[in-house]
Amino acid sequence: MREVLPDGEYWATCRERTRIAASANGYGAVFPQAKMTVADGWATFTRNGEPVWDCSVRFAVAHFDIQPA
C-alpha cells in the first residue's frame, strides 16, 4: 500500500473557516492550525507540546491543508 503521508512533523491548517464549524466536525482543538506528528499512519495534533487530538493520516489529508514543519 502506498504511503499517504510519510512519518514526520507538519503544520495542519483547518479547512473550516470558523471554530464553530471545526468543532461541529470534531476537531475544534486544532483550529485554526496545529503542529501534527505523523507516525505509523496516525496523526497526532499538538499545542504547546501537548496532544490535543488525533486521527488517521488519511482523515488528516482529507480534512486539513498540510505543510512540512
Side-chain angles (χ1 to χ4, degrees), residues 30-55:
V30 178
F31 185 85
Q33 184 181 62
K35 190 142 206 191
M36 180 180 80
T37 302
V38 171
D40 298 322
W42 203 247
T44 301
F45 298 81
T46 59
R47 288 201 181 278
N48 302 318
E50 296 294 321
V52 294
W53 192 68
D54 52 18
C55 65

Side-chain angles (χ1 to χ4, degrees), residues 2-57:
R2 190 173 154 255
E3 283 186 66
V4 175
L5 195 62
D7 288 0
E9 299 287 322
Y10 300 89
W11 284 106
T13 304
C14 286
R15 291 185 183 149
E16 307 296 345
R17 294 185 186 258
T18 67
R19 182 177 304 279
I20 293 169
S23 295
N25 287 314
Y27 41 83
V30 178
F31 185 85
Q33 184 181 62
K35 190 142 206 191
M36 180 180 80
T37 302
V38 171
D40 298 322
W42 203 247
T44 301
F45 298 81
T46 59
R47 288 201 181 278
N48 302 318
E50 296 294 321
V52 294
W53 192 68
D54 52 18
C55 65
S56 73
V57 172

